[in-house]
Amino acid sequence: MNNNDVIPTNMGRGTTTIRAERGPEKEELSSPMSLRKVRIDNGQRQLVFAPLAWLKLRFLLHAGETEVGAFGIAAEQNLLYIEDLAVPRQHTTEVSVEFEDTAVADHFDRFADDGITPSRCGRIWIHTHPGSSPDPSFTDESTFERVVGTCDSAVM
């Protein structure tokens, strides 16, 4: 694994360790991470991707020259363990991604039908930037604040 296996977003909120699990062996990397309302101190809490979720994310990173958005689906017992990614219908360009409103509603309905709460399927917003731009834009920041700003915890 190299530094390209981590999606860093630096907003001046500290550094954490992001771990991608691959079978029995685990590799750790130190990288800046953007988190709101979930404080990361000295790597004690980690955002961890299951192998399938990590592969999906890697695919989205390299699938094209546009931004792509997704929701991280968290484990029931650990909201920072990403079990899977859900990619609702969306409109993308090189500088923007916008989920279709009906697709977001369908996303929450589908997971509610499966007994999965919004805290597990709607509070981890993942999106890519083409090229090598890991920092959130002003639009990303304002969208994140508008959509999940009132939650007790959320991750971008």
Side-chain angles (χ1 to χ4, degrees):
M1 186 182 298
N2 59 41
N3 285 334
N4 292 330
D5 290 326
V6 174
I7 301 176
T9 58
N10 185 359
M11 297 171 50
R13 289 184 175 81
T15 300
T16 188
T17 302
I18 299 173
R19 184 177 67 220
E21 294 187 354
R22 294 183 177 176
E25 74 278 358
K26 297 175 184 170
E27 187 169 346
E28 294 184 1
L29 300 171
S30 181
S31 176
M33 185 67 194
S34 166
L35 295 177
R36 296 232 179 174
K37 301 182 184 186
V38 174
R39 182 73 186 171
I40 302 289
D41 293 314
N42 301 322
Q44 294 174 1
R45 298 186 71 184
Q46 300 175 344
L47 184 65
V48 180
F49 287 81
L52 177 61
W54 188 252
L55 288 173
K56 286 181 179 182
L57 180 57
R58 297 288 297 157
F59 174 78
L60 293 175
L61 284 170
H62 301 290
E65 294 299 318
T66 66
E67 292 190 6
V68 177
F71 288 107
I73 310 304
E76 187 172 2
Q77 299 301 317
N78 181 355
L79 296 179
L80 292 177
Y81 183 81
I82 310 304
E83 294 180 323
D84 200 359
L85 296 185
V87 184
R89 285 184 318 275
Q90 53 198 268
H91 301 280
T92 65
T93 70
E94 294 83 7
V95 295
S96 68
V97 59
E98 184 177 342
F99 294 141
E100 291 183 6
D101 289 341
T102 56
V104 173
D106 291 345
H107 166 82
F108 285 101
D109 285 346
R110 180 183 131 221
F111 283 97
D113 290 346
D114 291 340
I116 295 174
T117 63
S119 64
R120 289 184 53 207
C121 69
R123 293 191 182 172
I124 299 178
W125 177 42
I126 298 169
H127 88 276
T128 67
H129 288 175
S132 59
S133 176
D135 296 326
S137 68
F138 175 77
T139 301
D140 298 337
E141 292 279 351
S142 61
T143 299
F144 187 75
E145 186 65 33
R146 178 177 50 83
V147 174
V148 296
T150 58
C151 295
D152 58 356
S153 66
V155 179
M156 178 192 326

PDB file of all heavy atoms in Angstrom, residues 94-126:
ATOM      1  N   GLU A  94     -16.392  17.993 -13.733  1.00  0.00           N
ATOM      2  CA  GLU A  94     -15.014  17.994 -13.230  1.00  0.00           C
ATOM      3  C   GLU A  94     -14.900  18.717 -11.889  1.00  0.00           C
ATOM      4  O   GLU A  94     -13.951  18.509 -11.153  1.00  0.00           O
ATOM      5  CB  GLU A  94     -14.063  18.663 -14.241  1.00  0.00           C
ATOM      6  CG  GLU A  94     -13.920  17.916 -15.538  1.00  0.00           C
ATOM      7  CD  GLU A  94     -15.060  18.222 -16.523  1.00  0.00           C
ATOM      8  OE1 GLU A  94     -15.892  19.125 -16.245  1.00  0.00           O
ATOM      9  OE2 GLU A  94     -15.132  17.550 -17.549  1.00  0.00           O
ATOM     10  N   VAL A  95     -15.884  19.574 -11.584  1.00  0.00           N
ATOM     11  CA  VAL A  95     -15.787  20.379 -10.365  1.00  0.00           C
ATOM     12  C   VAL A  95     -17.001  20.272  -9.453  1.00  0.00           C
ATOM     13  O   VAL A  95     -17.103  21.018  -8.475  1.00  0.00           O
ATOM     14  CB  VAL A  95     -15.540  21.871 -10.709  1.00  0.00           C
ATOM     15  CG1 VAL A  95     -14.188  22.053 -11.387  1.00  0.00           C
ATOM     16  CG2 VAL A  95     -16.658  22.418 -11.579  1.00  0.00           C
ATOM     17  N   SER A  96     -17.925  19.361  -9.754  1.00  0.00           N
ATOM     18  CA  SER A  96     -19.102  19.276  -8.891  1.00  0.00           C
ATOM     19  C   SER A  96     -19.732  17.893  -8.950  1.00  0.00           C
ATOM     20  O   SER A  96     -19.531  17.137  -9.899  1.00  0.00           O
ATOM     21  CB  SER A  96     -20.153  20.320  -9.312  1.00  0.00           C
ATOM     22  OG  SER A  96     -20.684  19.991 -10.580  1.00  0.00           O
ATOM     23  N   VAL A  97     -20.485  17.599  -7.909  1.00  0.00           N
ATOM     24  CA  VAL A  97     -21.308  16.396  -7.852  1.00  0.00           C
ATOM     25  C   VAL A  97     -22.596  16.774  -7.143  1.00  0.00           C
ATOM     26  O   VAL A  97     -22.581  17.490  -6.141  1.00  0.00           O
ATOM     27  CB  VAL A  97     -20.587  15.225  -7.131  1.00  0.00           C
ATOM     28  CG1 VAL A  97     -20.206  15.593  -5.714  1.00  0.00           C
ATOM     29  CG2 VAL A  97     -21.445  13.983  -7.153  1.00  0.00           C
ATOM     30  N   GLU A  98     -23.719  16.349  -7.710  1.00  0.00           N
ATOM     31  CA  GLU A  98     -25.008  16.642  -7.097  1.00  0.00           C
ATOM     32  C   GLU A  98     -25.878  15.402  -7.167  1.00  0.00           C
ATOM     33  O   GLU A  98     -26.183  14.895  -8.243  1.00  0.00           O
ATOM     34  CB  GLU A  98     -25.698  17.792  -7.837  1.00  0.00           C
ATOM     35  CG  GLU A  98     -26.993  18.208  -7.198  1.00  0.00           C
ATOM     36  CD  GLU A  98     -27.628  19.398  -7.901  1.00  0.00           C
ATOM     37  OE1 GLU A  98     -26.947  20.111  -8.650  1.00  0.00           O
ATOM     38  OE2 GLU A  98     -28.839  19.591  -7.679  1.00  0.00           O
ATOM     39  N   PHE A  99     -26.251  14.891  -5.987  1.00  0.00           N
ATOM     40  CA  PHE A  99     -27.143  13.739  -5.932  1.00  0.00           C
ATOM     41  C   PHE A  99     -28.532  14.149  -6.399  1.00  0.00           C
ATOM     42  O   PHE A  99     -28.991  15.258  -6.104  1.00  0.00           O
ATOM     43  CB  PHE A  99     -27.260  13.199  -4.505  1.00  0.00           C
ATOM     44  CG  PHE A  99     -25.997  12.603  -3.950  1.00  0.00           C
ATOM     45  CD1 PHE A  99     -25.661  12.819  -2.632  1.00  0.00           C
ATOM     46  CD2 PHE A  99     -25.173  11.808  -4.723  1.00  0.00           C
ATOM     47  CE1 PHE A  99     -24.510  12.250  -2.090  1.00  0.00           C
ATOM     48  CE2 PHE A  99     -24.028  11.246  -4.200  1.00  0.00           C
ATOM     49  CZ  PHE A  99     -23.695  11.466  -2.887  1.00  0.00           C
ATOM     50  N   GLU A 100     -29.219  13.253  -7.089  1.00  0.00           N
ATOM     51  CA  GLU A 100     -30.620  13.488  -7.421  1.00  0.00           C
ATOM     52  C   GLU A 100     -31.430  13.352  -6.136  1.00  0.00           C
ATOM     53  O   GLU A 100     -31.209  12.424  -5.347  1.00  0.00           O
ATOM     54  CB  GLU A 100     -31.109  12.472  -8.449  1.00  0.00           C
ATOM     55  CG  GLU A 100     -30.494  12.643  -9.813  1.00  0.00           C
ATOM     56  CD  GLU A 100     -31.050  11.652 -10.831  1.00  0.00           C
ATOM     57  OE1 GLU A 100     -31.995  10.896 -10.509  1.00  0.00           O
ATOM     58  OE2 GLU A 100     -30.530  11.642 -11.955  1.00  0.00           O
ATOM     59  N   ASP A 101     -32.364  14.263  -5.916  1.00  0.00           N
ATOM     60  CA  ASP A 101     -33.166  14.250  -4.685  1.00  0.00           C
ATOM     61  C   ASP A 101     -33.902  12.925  -4.504  1.00  0.00           C
ATOM     62  O   ASP A 101     -33.924  12.368  -3.402  1.00  0.00           O
ATOM     63  CB  ASP A 101     -34.171  15.402  -4.688  1.00  0.00           C
ATOM     64  CG  ASP A 101     -33.508  16.758  -4.518  1.00  0.00           C
ATOM     65  OD1 ASP A 101     -32.348  16.798  -4.038  1.00  0.00           O
ATOM     66  OD2 ASP A 101     -34.147  17.766  -4.863  1.00  0.00           O
ATOM     67  N   THR A 102     -34.503  12.424  -5.585  1.00  0.00           N
ATOM     68  CA  THR A 102     -35.235  11.158  -5.458  1.00  0.00           C
ATOM     69  C   THR A 102     -34.288  10.006  -5.156  1.00  0.00           C
ATOM     70  O   THR A 102     -34.668   9.074  -4.450  1.00  0.00           O
ATOM     71  CB  THR A 102     -36.042  10.843  -6.734  1.00  0.00           C
ATOM     72  OG1 THR A 102     -35.160  10.831  -7.860  1.00  0.00           O
ATOM     73  CG2 THR A 102     -37.149  11.861  -6.951  1.00  0.00           C
ATOM     74  N   ALA A 103     -33.073  10.084  -5.662  1.00  0.00           N
ATOM     75  CA  ALA A 103     -32.099   9.023  -5.393  1.00  0.00           C
ATOM     76  C   ALA A 103     -31.701   9.015  -3.922  1.00  0.00           C
ATOM     77  O   ALA A 103     -31.529   7.948  -3.318  1.00  0.00           O
ATOM     78  CB  ALA A 103     -30.866   9.194  -6.274  1.00  0.00           C
ATOM     79  N   VAL A 104     -31.568  10.185  -3.324  1.00  0.00           N
ATOM     80  CA  VAL A 104     -31.238  10.261  -1.898  1.00  0.00           C
ATOM     81  C   VAL A 104     -32.407   9.732  -1.071  1.00  0.00           C
ATOM     82  O   VAL A 104     -32.209   8.954  -0.133  1.00  0.00           O
ATOM     83  CB  VAL A 104     -30.865  11.702  -1.491  1.00  0.00           C
ATOM     84  CG1 VAL A 104     -30.694  11.820   0.018  1.00  0.00           C
ATOM     85  CG2 VAL A 104     -29.594  12.140  -2.203  1.00  0.00           C
ATOM     86  N   ALA A 105     -33.613  10.114  -1.434  1.00  0.00           N
ATOM     87  CA  ALA A 105     -34.789   9.600  -0.717  1.00  0.00           C
ATOM     88  C   ALA A 105     -34.868   8.085  -0.851  1.00  0.00           C
ATOM     89  O   ALA A 105     -35.124   7.382   0.145  1.00  0.00           O
ATOM     90  CB  ALA A 105     -36.060  10.253  -1.264  1.00  0.00           C
ATOM     91  N   ASP A 106     -34.646   7.570  -2.056  1.00  0.00           N
ATOM     92  CA  ASP A 106     -34.653   6.116  -2.265  1.00  0.00           C
ATOM     93  C   ASP A 106     -33.557   5.432  -1.445  1.00  0.00           C
ATOM     94  O   ASP A 106     -33.761   4.336  -0.919  1.00  0.00           O
ATOM     95  CB  ASP A 106     -34.467   5.780  -3.747  1.00  0.00           C
ATOM     96  CG  ASP A 106     -35.668   6.170  -4.597  1.00  0.00           C
ATOM     97  OD1 ASP A 106     -36.750   6.429  -4.028  1.00  0.00           O
ATOM     98  OD2 ASP A 106     -35.508   6.220  -5.838  1.00  0.00           O
ATOM     99  N   HIS A 107     -32.397   6.076  -1.359  1.00  0.00           N
ATOM    100  CA  HIS A 107     -31.277   5.545  -0.568  1.00  0.00           C
ATOM    101  C   HIS A 107     -31.718   5.334   0.879  1.00  0.00           C
ATOM    102  O   HIS A 107     -31.551   4.243   1.438  1.00  0.00           O
ATOM    103  CB  HIS A 107     -30.085   6.510  -0.652  1.00  0.00           C
ATOM    104  CG  HIS A 107     -29.017   6.270   0.353  1.00  0.00           C
ATOM    105  ND1 HIS A 107     -28.046   5.310   0.192  1.00  0.00           N
ATOM    106  CD2 HIS A 107     -28.764   6.854   1.552  1.00  0.00           C
ATOM    107  CE1 HIS A 107     -27.238   5.329   1.243  1.00  0.00           C
ATOM    108  NE2 HIS A 107     -27.656   6.252   2.081  1.00  0.00           N
ATOM    109  N   PHE A 108     -32.290   6.366   1.493  1.00  0.00           N
ATOM    110  CA  PHE A 108     -32.697   6.261   2.899  1.00  0.00           C
ATOM    111  C   PHE A 108     -33.859   5.286   3.075  1.00  0.00           C
ATOM    112  O   PHE A 108     -33.902   4.539   4.048  1.00  0.00           O
ATOM    113  CB  PHE A 108     -33.005   7.635   3.486  1.00  0.00           C
ATOM    114  CG  PHE A 108     -31.765   8.426   3.778  1.00  0.00           C
ATOM    115  CD1 PHE A 108     -31.337   9.425   2.923  1.00  0.00           C
ATOM    116  CD2 PHE A 108     -31.004   8.146   4.903  1.00  0.00           C
ATOM    117  CE1 PHE A 108     -30.175  10.143   3.194  1.00  0.00           C
ATOM    118  CE2 PHE A 108     -29.841   8.842   5.185  1.00  0.00           C
ATOM    119  CZ  PHE A 108     -29.422   9.854   4.318  1.00  0.00           C
ATOM    120  N   ASP A 109     -34.789   5.274   2.133  1.00  0.00           N
ATOM    121  CA  ASP A 109     -35.902   4.314   2.199  1.00  0.00           C
ATOM    122  C   ASP A 109     -35.402   2.881   2.130  1.00  0.00           C
ATOM    123  O   ASP A 109     -35.841   2.020   2.900  1.00  0.00           O
ATOM    124  CB  ASP A 109     -36.900   4.556   1.057  1.00  0.00           C
ATOM    125  CG  ASP A 109     -37.758   5.778   1.279  1.00  0.00           C
ATOM    126  OD1 ASP A 109     -37.787   6.295   2.413  1.00  0.00           O
ATOM    127  OD2 ASP A 109     -38.386   6.221   0.294  1.00  0.00           O
ATOM    128  N   ARG A 110     -34.501   2.624   1.192  1.00  0.00           N
ATOM    129  CA  ARG A 110     -33.968   1.259   1.027  1.00  0.00           C
ATOM    130  C   ARG A 110     -33.298   0.772   2.302  1.00  0.00           C
ATOM    131  O   ARG A 110     -33.529  -0.341   2.765  1.00  0.00           O
ATOM    132  CB  ARG A 110     -32.968   1.229  -0.132  1.00  0.00           C
ATOM    133  CG  ARG A 110     -32.379  -0.138  -0.369  1.00  0.00           C
ATOM    134  CD  ARG A 110     -31.332  -0.121  -1.483  1.00  0.00           C
ATOM    135  NE  ARG A 110     -30.169  -0.816  -0.962  1.00  0.00           N
ATOM    136  CZ  ARG A 110     -28.930  -0.439  -1.155  1.00  0.00           C
ATOM    137  NH1 ARG A 110     -28.650   0.628  -1.837  1.00  0.00           N
ATOM    138  NH2 ARG A 110     -27.945  -1.140  -0.669  1.00  0.00           N
ATOM    139  N   PHE A 111     -32.466   1.632   2.895  1.00  0.00           N
ATOM    140  CA  PHE A 111     -31.767   1.212   4.104  1.00  0.00           C
ATOM    141  C   PHE A 111     -32.710   1.123   5.299  1.00  0.00           C
ATOM    142  O   PHE A 111     -32.546   0.246   6.147  1.00  0.00           O
ATOM    143  CB  PHE A 111     -30.554   2.105   4.364  1.00  0.00           C
ATOM    144  CG  PHE A 111     -29.406   1.767   3.463  1.00  0.00           C
ATOM    145  CD1 PHE A 111     -29.178   2.486   2.301  1.00  0.00           C
ATOM    146  CD2 PHE A 111     -28.575   0.696   3.742  1.00  0.00           C
ATOM    147  CE1 PHE A 111     -28.142   2.157   1.449  1.00  0.00           C
ATOM    148  CE2 PHE A 111     -27.532   0.352   2.901  1.00  0.00           C
ATOM    149  CZ  PHE A 111     -27.320   1.088   1.749  1.00  0.00           C
ATOM    150  N   ALA A 112     -33.707   2.001   5.369  1.00  0.00           N
ATOM    151  CA  ALA A 112     -34.696   1.906   6.446  1.00  0.00           C
ATOM    152  C   ALA A 112     -35.459   0.589   6.340  1.00  0.00           C
ATOM    153  O   ALA A 112     -35.713  -0.072   7.356  1.00  0.00           O
ATOM    154  CB  ALA A 112     -35.660   3.088   6.387  1.00  0.00           C
ATOM    155  N   ASP A 113     -35.801   0.193   5.112  1.00  0.00           N
ATOM    156  CA  ASP A 113     -36.481  -1.090   4.909  1.00  0.00           C
ATOM    157  C   ASP A 113     -35.640  -2.257   5.380  1.00  0.00           C
ATOM    158  O   ASP A 113     -36.158  -3.283   5.816  1.00  0.00           O
ATOM    159  CB  ASP A 113     -36.843  -1.288   3.426  1.00  0.00           C
ATOM    160  CG  ASP A 113     -37.945  -0.355   2.967  1.00  0.00           C
ATOM    161  OD1 ASP A 113     -38.625   0.259   3.824  1.00  0.00           O
ATOM    162  OD2 ASP A 113     -38.110  -0.216   1.728  1.00  0.00           O
ATOM    163  N   ASP A 114     -34.304  -2.106   5.296  1.00  0.00           N
ATOM    164  CA  ASP A 114     -33.382  -3.155   5.741  1.00  0.00           C
ATOM    165  C   ASP A 114     -33.019  -3.021   7.222  1.00  0.00           C
ATOM    166  O   ASP A 114     -32.160  -3.750   7.722  1.00  0.00           O
ATOM    167  CB  ASP A 114     -32.099  -3.134   4.901  1.00  0.00           C
ATOM    168  CG  ASP A 114     -32.334  -3.568   3.466  1.00  0.00           C
ATOM    169  OD1 ASP A 114     -33.362  -4.226   3.193  1.00  0.00           O
ATOM    170  OD2 ASP A 114     -31.485  -3.241   2.606  1.00  0.00           O
ATOM    171  N   GLY A 115     -33.636  -2.056   7.918  1.00  0.00           N
ATOM    172  CA  GLY A 115     -33.374  -1.873   9.343  1.00  0.00           C
ATOM    173  C   GLY A 115     -32.081  -1.138   9.645  1.00  0.00           C
ATOM    174  O   GLY A 115     -31.566  -1.209  10.760  1.00  0.00           O
ATOM    175  N   ILE A 116     -31.555  -0.412   8.668  1.00  0.00           N
ATOM    176  CA  ILE A 116     -30.303   0.332   8.857  1.00  0.00           C
ATOM    177  C   ILE A 116     -30.649   1.798   9.090  1.00  0.00           C
ATOM    178  O   ILE A 116     -31.312   2.435   8.269  1.00  0.00           O
ATOM    179  CB  ILE A 116     -29.371   0.154   7.646  1.00  0.00           C
ATOM    180  CG1 ILE A 116     -28.961  -1.319   7.557  1.00  0.00           C
ATOM    181  CG2 ILE A 116     -28.150   1.055   7.752  1.00  0.00           C
ATOM    182  CD1 ILE A 116     -28.160  -1.681   6.346  1.00  0.00           C
ATOM    183  N   THR A 117     -30.195   2.337  10.210  1.00  0.00           N
ATOM    184  CA  THR A 117     -30.534   3.702  10.612  1.00  0.00           C
ATOM    185  C   THR A 117     -29.756   4.737   9.792  1.00  0.00           C
ATOM    186  O   THR A 117     -28.687   4.443   9.256  1.00  0.00           O
ATOM    187  CB  THR A 117     -30.205   3.912  12.096  1.00  0.00           C
ATOM    188  OG1 THR A 117     -28.802   3.747  12.273  1.00  0.00           O
ATOM    189  CG2 THR A 117     -30.965   2.936  12.978  1.00  0.00           C
ATOM    190  N   PRO A 118     -30.276   5.972   9.719  1.00  0.00           N
ATOM    191  CA  PRO A 118     -29.556   7.040   9.021  1.00  0.00           C
ATOM    192  C   PRO A 118     -28.161   7.297   9.593  1.00  0.00           C
ATOM    193  O   PRO A 118     -27.267   7.713   8.862  1.00  0.00           O
ATOM    194  CB  PRO A 118     -30.461   8.265   9.214  1.00  0.00           C
ATOM    195  CG  PRO A 118     -31.824   7.692   9.357  1.00  0.00           C
ATOM    196  CD  PRO A 118     -31.621   6.401  10.125  1.00  0.00           C
ATOM    197  N   SER A 119     -27.970   7.035  10.876  1.00  0.00           N
ATOM    198  CA  SER A 119     -26.637   7.230  11.452  1.00  0.00           C
ATOM    199  C   SER A 119     -25.614   6.283  10.829  1.00  0.00           C
ATOM    200  O   SER A 119     -24.422   6.569  10.841  1.00  0.00           O
ATOM    201  CB  SER A 119     -26.655   7.052  12.967  1.00  0.00           C
ATOM    202  OG  SER A 119     -27.010   5.734  13.321  1.00  0.00           O
ATOM    203  N   ARG A 120     -26.074   5.174  10.278  1.00  0.00           N
ATOM    204  CA  ARG A 120     -25.163   4.221   9.628  1.00  0.00           C
ATOM    205  C   ARG A 120     -25.045   4.449   8.128  1.00  0.00           C
ATOM    206  O   ARG A 120     -24.025   4.111   7.544  1.00  0.00           O
ATOM    207  CB  ARG A 120     -25.637   2.786   9.870  1.00  0.00           C
ATOM    208  CG  ARG A 120     -25.452   2.334  11.304  1.00  0.00           C
ATOM    209  CD  ARG A 120     -25.826   0.896  11.503  1.00  0.00           C
ATOM    210  NE  ARG A 120     -25.135   0.018  10.558  1.00  0.00           N
ATOM    211  CZ  ARG A 120     -25.621  -1.154  10.147  1.00  0.00           C
ATOM    212  NH1 ARG A 120     -26.778  -1.582  10.583  1.00  0.00           N
ATOM    213  NH2 ARG A 120     -24.943  -1.890   9.308  1.00  0.00           N
ATOM    214  N   CYS A 121     -26.092   4.996   7.493  1.00  0.00           N
ATOM    215  CA  CYS A 121     -26.066   5.078   6.031  1.00  0.00           C
ATOM    216  C   CYS A 121     -26.067   6.495   5.477  1.00  0.00           C
ATOM    217  O   CYS A 121     -26.055   6.674   4.262  1.00  0.00           O
ATOM    218  CB  CYS A 121     -27.234   4.298   5.431  1.00  0.00           C
ATOM    219  SG  CYS A 121     -28.856   5.044   5.748  1.00  0.00           S
ATOM    220  N   GLY A 122     -26.044   7.503   6.338  1.00  0.00           N
ATOM    221  CA  GLY A 122     -26.142   8.850   5.822  1.00  0.00           C
ATOM    222  C   GLY A 122     -25.215   9.883   6.415  1.00  0.00           C
ATOM    223  O   GLY A 122     -25.311  11.051   6.090  1.00  0.00           O
ATOM    224  N   ARG A 123     -24.316   9.477   7.285  1.00  0.00           N
ATOM    225  CA  ARG A 123     -23.460  10.462   7.949  1.00  0.00           C
ATOM    226  C   ARG A 123     -22.006  10.429   7.506  1.00  0.00           C
ATOM    227  O   ARG A 123     -21.194  11.193   8.019  1.00  0.00           O
ATOM    228  CB  ARG A 123     -23.537  10.280   9.458  1.00  0.00           C
ATOM    229  CG  ARG A 123     -24.900  10.639   9.975  1.00  0.00           C
ATOM    230  CD  ARG A 123     -24.884  10.719  11.452  1.00  0.00           C
ATOM    231  NE  ARG A 123     -26.214  11.012  11.952  1.00  0.00           N
ATOM    232  CZ  ARG A 123     -26.510  10.991  13.220  1.00  0.00           C
ATOM    233  NH1 ARG A 123     -25.600  10.698  14.108  1.00  0.00           N
ATOM    234  NH2 ARG A 123     -27.734  11.274  13.611  1.00  0.00           N
ATOM    235  N   ILE A 124     -21.692   9.554   6.585  1.00  0.00           N
ATOM    236  CA  ILE A 124     -20.331   9.541   6.038  1.00  0.00           C
ATOM    237  C   ILE A 124     -20.446   9.858   4.559  1.00  0.00           C
ATOM    238  O   ILE A 124     -20.926   9.050   3.768  1.00  0.00           O
ATOM    239  CB  ILE A 124     -19.627   8.197   6.274  1.00  0.00           C
ATOM    240  CG1 ILE A 124     -19.516   7.939   7.770  1.00  0.00           C
ATOM    241  CG2 ILE A 124     -18.255   8.189   5.606  1.00  0.00           C
ATOM    242  CD1 ILE A 124     -18.894   6.628   8.148  1.00  0.00           C
ATOM    243  N   TRP A 125     -20.063  11.075   4.215  1.00  0.00           N
ATOM    244  CA  TRP A 125     -20.140  11.551   2.842  1.00  0.00           C
ATOM    245  C   TRP A 125     -18.759  11.429   2.220  1.00  0.00           C
ATOM    246  O   TRP A 125     -17.790  12.003   2.719  1.00  0.00           O
ATOM    247  CB  TRP A 125     -20.621  12.993   2.815  1.00  0.00           C
ATOM    248  CG  TRP A 125     -20.653  13.588   1.440  1.00  0.00           C
ATOM    249  CD1 TRP A 125     -21.080  12.984   0.299  1.00  0.00           C
ATOM    250  CD2 TRP A 125     -20.241  14.896   1.078  1.00  0.00           C
ATOM    251  NE1 TRP A 125     -20.970  13.845  -0.755  1.00  0.00           N
ATOM    252  CE2 TRP A 125     -20.458  15.036  -0.298  1.00  0.00           C
ATOM    253  CE3 TRP A 125     -19.714  15.976   1.781  1.00  0.00           C
ATOM    254  CZ2 TRP A 125     -20.159  16.200  -0.990  1.00  0.00           C
ATOM    255  CZ3 TRP A 125     -19.428  17.139   1.091  1.00  0.00           C
ATOM    256  CH2 TRP A 125     -19.656  17.237  -0.266  1.00  0.00           C
ATOM    257  N   ILE A 126     -18.696  10.665   1.163  1.00  0.00           N
ATOM    258  CA  ILE A 126     -17.439  10.440   0.455  1.00  0.00           C
ATOM    259  C   ILE A 126     -17.595  11.016  -0.939  1.00  0.00           C
ATOM    260  O   ILE A 126     -18.604  10.776  -1.597  1.00  0.00           O
ATOM    261  CB  ILE A 126     -17.129   8.935   0.364  1.00  0.00           C
ATOM    262  CG1 ILE A 126     -16.968   8.355   1.768  1.00  0.00           C
ATOM    263  CG2 ILE A 126     -15.895   8.677  -0.485  1.00  0.00           C
ATOM    264  CD1 ILE A 126     -16.927   6.847   1.818  1.00  0.00           C
TER     265      ILE A 126
END
